[in-house]
Amino acid sequence: MDGRILEEHTEYVVYAIHRILDQYKESHDARESDGAATTGSLPKSVILIGHSMGGFVARAATIHPRLRRSAVETILTLSSPHQSPPLALQPSLGDYYKSINQEWRKGYEVQTTRTGRYVSGPKLSNVVVVSVSGGFNDYQVRSKLESLDGIVPPTHGFMTSSTSMKNVWLSMEHQTILWCNQLVVQVSHTLLSLVDSRTGQPFPDTQKRLAIFTKMLHSGIPQSFNWKMQPQSPWSAQVLAKDVKDTAVSEVHTLSDCPSSFHWNDDILERDLYIQTTTVTMLAMDGRRRWLDIQKLGLNGKSHFIFVTNLAPCSGVRIHLWPQKGKSSSDLPAGKRVLEVTSKMVQIPAGPAPWQVEPGSQTEQAPPSALLHLGPEEMHGFRFLTISVAPRPTISGRPPPAISMAVGQFFNPDEGEIDFTHVSMLLSIHSHKDIFLKEDHPLAFNMSFAISLGLLPVTFSLKTAGCGIKDSGLLDEAGDNGNNKLCKLRCFPPLALAWDPTSGLHVFPNLYSETLVVDSSPALWTSTGSEKTTVFLLLDPHCAYKASIAVSVTSAASRFWLLYFSQIAGFCVAVVFFALMRQAHARPIPSILKAVESNLRMPFQFLPFVAVPILLSLLFSFLVSQPFPPFSSFTIVSIICYLLANGIVILLILVSQLVFYVAAYLHVFIKTRWLLWEGNFGFLFLHWFMNLSSRFFSLKVVRILRANPLFVPISAAIVLSMFVHPALGLFILLLSHALCCHSSLCKEVPVNSILPIVLVPFQCSIQKLLP
């Protein structure tokens, strides 16, 4: 929490880096002096991995003036705040953050003189930084703080969330990110991939290291699901026109080819099937090739093709684009080519495997594990699309149970668009919104939520309503439970991919009842860009569904408190000061409760205090050509935070009043009992002992005890509490001061005007000073 401590940590990291590199040299020299064989070159740099504040210290050490040149070229941070500290309690911490980030921005700029003469290249041109966030389960550091925007250019680093990381797909708590097995394994493989096997050292090329990080940590799933705005399919990583080595040769020679180890002969395919519908389904590894006519099936705006499967790409399924029909690529005339797009399939989390009642029995459909999307630009110039499924391997002459699944569909993106406006989301708090999807619906749905799911999480429930077996009579016998079981045998489990501009991708496999939430920070003054959340939903078109969507009140309340706790706390302080200001100017002095209530009845007089800084900030953004903050959402959230702050202060006042009523009752009860005990022998003996003691110490203890019988126990409690914790002793001292003030000094103060504990002496002093 202090910038000077971070500076000391930074200096220690620099010392440790130098010591590590020196030990390599010392060991190398010792082996040479002993005549032992030495191989390889000495390491010149150290890879830094930092968790939480350690990630920021790693960046600070990289630009330290005493660090050797090129000693650090790769930094990986886990749940590290880069933009600003989560809680800047010390000014030195904010100043240290500001200075380090400013140096990093200058580090990627070309060094020139005042006259514009070139001096040298950027100081950090060889440094790559990757930030990994924990997602919505990290309550200590939000993803917005872990972003590298404005600090590291996209050519030298990026931020990714653990929810969108390949082979991880999980959100994790702030400390859990250190030992989550999925993340540890993936990060370990990534670090090993950075090492050049020929030299034993990390790759010196910056773009090579960044490409390895991108390949190993990014999922490959697109960062947007707007089909119409994409000039080319977002699922594609390469330009198809550049994939062909020689268009004059009628063979598949593209960068999208499967590896040579997965070589297929056309002889293994039993026979071809010609699909006449826009939807094609494969429920087994039957060793067949299915032909789909792109021109015929792509009519009526259905120019996009999407394909989901649980088969392994290349080894289990392969997809090709053909300019015309042919048995194999060799049957095509010169100048024609077959394009394979199998390797453009992206991996998605498959979820739990289906459960078998007994070995060899029919199981539920397996969840999809790979997905492919082809846009009209990618299929331009081709007439047919083929889906080839490998033959099913046999075990002792008997094939394994059918757990394979693949579904493809030509679809119109407009048919799957579902928009939830601000009004519809707010109305869903009271009554959920139902959506009925009949059979043969689009396989992909693009749902857009106007309010970020990071602020208003929604509960999404999905129930199977039918799967094309209504006339078989099985549903009448089995009922709703049987309906679900039968439909799960035919339709794959639903899958949702939620994308947020701040935190990236969030995956929800096996989506039947789930609270959809993302890690975003909307409605903040520093927020930029869109605050919408897009959810990409994959549903089997053979089943009918009933979807129910409603805002989760409990999740929304917890998210609101988590995101805007600091704003609410600041408003609470402002409300107390406004109430004290009203008490200082009003005659007669109102109670603190009435002063707070007047803040709610007449808030317009405080508008200048709020409007002036906001207008100045908007003017500054306009002058420097910065994007304007979300003014409307910021205003609405600020008003809600102000009302909550007033409610919290009023609640504290009522609780303090209750405490005073109880304390007053106990005070009267003890004092009454004390007066009844004054005539007994024990009290007379205590009175004689007090008088005897007062002769030596000149104390008027008896008078104090008669005025306030709680003096002795309160004093003892204060002394004992000081040894436990000073704050506890101060609290008891204020409480005793308030009790004494209310009982003896402020006789004219009505009971309903009692302030909170720490403000009672202040009110008593005002009433004693004012006429």
Side-chain angles (χ1 to χ4, degrees):
M1 299 287 179
D2 187 83
R4 291 169 296 182
I5 297 178
L6 289 185
E7 291 180 6
E8 295 176 359
H9 287 188
T10 302
E11 294 177 357
Y12 177 75
V13 170
V14 173
Y15 168 79
I17 293 173
H18 292 169
R19 183 59 184 152
I20 290 172
L21 295 177
D22 291 341
Q23 283 186 332
Y24 276 101
K25 187 176 185 305
E26 294 171 3
S27 177
H28 182 272
D29 295 341
R31 288 196 301 269
E32 282 188 343
S33 61
D34 294 341
T38 58
T39 58
S41 59
L42 293 176
K44 299 179 180 179
S45 64
V46 175
I47 298 176
L48 298 184
I49 306 176
H51 171 253
S52 192
M53 277 299 189
F56 180 77
V57 171
R59 288 202 302 115
T62 306
I63 59 173
H64 197 276
R66 289 200 295 269
L67 183 70
R68 299 173 188 172
R69 184 174 180 83
S70 301
V72 175
E73 294 183 342
T74 304
I75 301 176
L76 178 65
T77 66
L78 305 175
S79 295
S80 298
H82 294 291
Q83 297 291 337
S84 62
L87 195 61
L89 296 180
Q90 295 289 341
S92 60
L93 182 59
D95 296 339
Y96 193 56
Y97 255 86
K98 183 178 179 180
S99 62
I100 295 300
N101 287 338
Q102 186 175 3
E103 288 295 326
W104 268 79
R105 295 185 185 98
K106 294 180 179 179
Y108 289 103
E109 298 176 356
V110 177
Q111 304 298 316
T112 59
T113 61
R114 294 183 178 180
T115 59
R117 184 180 178 182
Y118 175 83
V119 177
S120 62
K123 296 180 180 179
L124 302 176
S125 59
N126 293 329
V127 180
V128 174
V129 185
V130 175
S131 175
V132 179
S133 66
F136 52 83
N137 282 333
D138 190 347
Y139 297 136
Q140 296 186 27
V141 181
R142 315 309 309 156
S143 297
K144 186 177 181 63
L145 299 179
E146 302 172 47
S147 173
L148 297 173
D149 295 342
I151 301 176
V152 179
T155 56
H156 289 76
F158 59 87
M159 186 204 78
T160 185
S161 174
S162 61
T163 57
S164 60
M165 187 181 296
K166 186 186 300 183
N167 299 326
V168 180
W169 317 108
L170 296 173
S171 175
M172 52 200 67
E173 190 263 344
H174 190 66
Q175 299 293 335
T176 310
I177 198 172
L178 291 174
W179 59 73
C180 175
N181 184 64
Q182 290 92 324
L183 187 136
V184 168
V185 171
Q186 192 67 20
V187 169
S188 301
H189 288 175
T190 303
L191 296 177
L192 292 176
S193 301
L194 293 174
V195 179
D196 189 352
S197 59
R198 297 170 297 178
T199 62
Q201 304 295 331
F203 289 102
D205 184 33
T206 303
Q207 298 306 315
K208 177 68 174 178
R209 282 178 280 132
L210 186 65
I212 293 174
F213 275 118
T214 304
K215 177 183 177 181
M216 298 296 294
L217 300 184
H218 272 177
S219 62
I221 300 177
Q223 301 299 305
S224 176
F225 305 111
N226 191 347
W227 314 113
K228 293 176 290 185
M229 297 300 294
Q230 296 288 342
Q232 197 177 59
S233 173
W235 311 93
S236 301
Q238 300 159 345
V239 181
L240 299 182
K242 297 182 180 180
D243 288 345
V244 182
K245 291 184 178 179
D246 187 4
T247 57
V249 182
S250 61
E251 292 183 349
V252 185
H253 290 302
T254 70
L255 296 177
S256 297
D257 280 350
C258 291
S260 57
S261 57
F262 299 105
H263 179 68
W264 283 28
N265 294 320
D266 295 333
D267 297 336
I268 66 175
L269 300 178
E270 295 183 1
R271 62 187 179 90
D272 294 344
L273 298 177
Y274 297 91
I275 307 302
Q276 304 297 326
T277 59
T278 57
T279 303
V280 56
T281 304
M282 289 139 280
L283 298 180
M285 298 180 68
D286 52 9
R288 295 180 179 180
R289 177 168 53 192
R290 291 160 174 83
W291 291 78
L292 292 88
D293 192 331
I294 298 176
Q295 295 182 2
K296 180 180 178 181
L297 301 179
L299 299 177
N300 300 323
K302 297 182 178 181
S303 57
H304 292 254
F305 180 78
I306 192 168
F307 180 79
V308 295
T309 182
N310 72 321
L311 299 175
C314 294
S315 62
V317 62
R318 302 180 76 165
I319 301 177
H320 297 81
L321 294 175
W322 294 69
Q324 65 183 45
K325 287 184 179 180
K327 181 65 177 178
S328 64
S329 58
S330 58
D331 298 336
L332 299 178
K336 299 293 183 179
R337 58 189 176 92
V338 178
L339 183 65
E340 183 170 6
V341 293
T342 307
S343 60
K344 296 184 182 296
M345 300 175 66
V346 294
Q347 179 187 6
I348 55 178
W355 178 70
Q356 291 183 343
V357 179
E358 58 183 14
S361 63
Q362 179 67 26
T363 65
E364 300 177 0
Q365 281 300 317
S369 59
L371 187 146
L372 170 69
H373 170 262
L374 296 176
E377 295 82 5
E378 295 167 299
M379 294 185 290
H380 179 71
F382 297 95
R383 177 64 187 274
F384 294 96
L385 183 147
T386 60
I387 304 174
S388 304
V389 179
R392 184 169 47 192
T394 59
I395 302 176
S396 300
R398 180 179 179 181
I403 58 174
S404 304
M405 178 277 303
V407 179
Q409 185 186 66
F410 285 91
F411 72 103
N412 186 353
D414 295 333
E415 297 178 356
E417 293 286 340
I418 302 177
D419 294 329
F420 295 92
T421 61
H422 298 80
V423 177
S424 60
M425 291 188 67
L426 295 176
L427 291 178
S428 66
I429 298 177
H430 179 264
S431 59
H432 55 80
K433 182 177 181 180
D434 294 331
I435 301 177
F436 296 93
L437 303 175
K438 298 181 180 180
E439 297 177 11
D440 200 22
H441 55 73
L443 191 153
F445 288 91
N446 193 12
M447 300 187 299
S448 177
F449 294 88
I451 303 178
S452 173
L453 297 185
L455 181 59
L456 290 183
V458 298
T459 300
F460 187 86
S461 300
L462 200 65
K463 185 178 180 181
T464 307
C467 49
I469 53 177
K470 295 182 178 179
D471 298 333
S472 62
L474 297 175
L475 297 182
D476 296 335
E477 300 176 3
D480 293 338
N481 293 332
N483 182 16
N484 291 330
K485 292 181 179 180
L486 291 174
C487 291
K488 287 182 178 180
L489 295 176
R490 183 174 185 183
C491 303
F492 65 82
L495 174 72
L497 307 173
W499 183 81
D500 180 78
T502 301
S503 57
L505 184 70
H506 300 74
V507 184
F508 302 92
N510 292 1
L511 182 69
Y512 288 106
S513 181
E514 189 78 26
T515 299
L516 304 182
V517 58
V518 298
D519 185 24
S520 63
S521 302
L524 295 178
W525 193 254
T526 55
S527 301
T528 57
S530 176
E531 296 185 354
K532 295 183 178 180
T533 300
T534 304
V535 177
F536 184 68
L537 186 63
L538 295 175
L539 298 175
D540 197 311
H542 298 95
C543 287
Y545 296 95
K546 177 184 178 182
S548 177
I549 300 177
V551 172
S552 176
V553 179
T554 56
S555 300
S558 62
R559 288 288 305 176
F560 192 92
W561 179 260
L562 177 66
L563 293 175
Y564 309 112
F565 169 77
S566 57
Q567 287 86 333
I568 296 174
F571 275 123
C572 288
V573 177
V575 167
V576 173
F577 277 106
F578 283 148
L580 294 177
M581 185 175 63
R582 288 188 179 277
Q583 284 188 322
H585 290 81
R587 298 293 186 276
I589 298 177
S591 65
I592 188 68
L593 185 60
K594 291 183 179 179
V596 174
E597 291 177 352
S598 62
N599 290 340
L600 296 175
R601 288 195 296 265
M602 295 180 295
F604 298 102
Q605 58 181 326
F606 305 121
L607 287 180
F609 297 99
V610 179
V612 171
I614 292 178
L615 294 177
L616 291 177
S617 180
L618 290 175
L619 179 61
F620 177 77
S621 300
F622 175 76
L623 294 177
V624 299
S625 300
Q626 291 181 351
F628 285 96
F631 180 75
S632 58
S633 59
F634 172 78
T635 303
I636 295 174
V637 170
S638 298
I639 293 175
I640 296 176
C641 292
Y642 177 74
L643 296 177
L644 289 176
N646 280 271
I648 292 174
V649 172
I650 291 175
L651 182 62
L652 290 177
I653 294 173
L654 295 177
V655 171
S656 65
Q657 286 185 356
L658 179 62
V659 171
F660 277 117
Y661 276 119
V662 174
Y665 176 81
L666 294 176
H667 175 79
V668 174
F669 176 79
I670 295 175
K671 189 170 184 178
T672 304
R673 294 295 182 182
W674 185 273
L675 293 176
L676 293 177
W677 294 340
E678 283 187 347
N680 59 21
F681 175 78
F683 182 81
L684 293 176
F685 176 77
L686 181 61
H687 186 271
W688 173 81
F689 180 77
M690 291 295 182
N691 289 333
L692 182 63
S693 301
S694 62
R695 296 177 183 179
F696 297 97
F697 301 101
S698 300
L699 299 176
K700 300 180 180 180
V701 180
V702 178
R703 181 180 176 184
I704 297 176
L705 288 174
R706 288 177 177 176
N708 192 349
L710 295 177
F711 178 81
V712 174
I714 290 178
S715 301
I718 293 175
V719 174
L720 294 176
S721 60
M722 284 296 183
F723 287 97
V724 178
H725 198 282
L728 181 60
L730 180 61
F731 175 79
I732 297 178
L733 179 62
L734 292 174
L735 176 61
S736 61
H737 184 194
L739 290 175
C740 296
C741 175
H742 177 65
S743 60
S744 58
L745 298 179
C746 304
K747 297 296 184 181
E748 69 280 2
V749 180
V751 178
N752 59 359
S753 66
I754 299 177
L755 288 171
I757 296 172
V758 296
L759 300 179
V760 171
F762 179 75
Q763 184 178 5
C764 296
S765 301
I766 291 179
Q767 293 199 359
K768 289 170 62 180
L769 295 175
L770 294 178

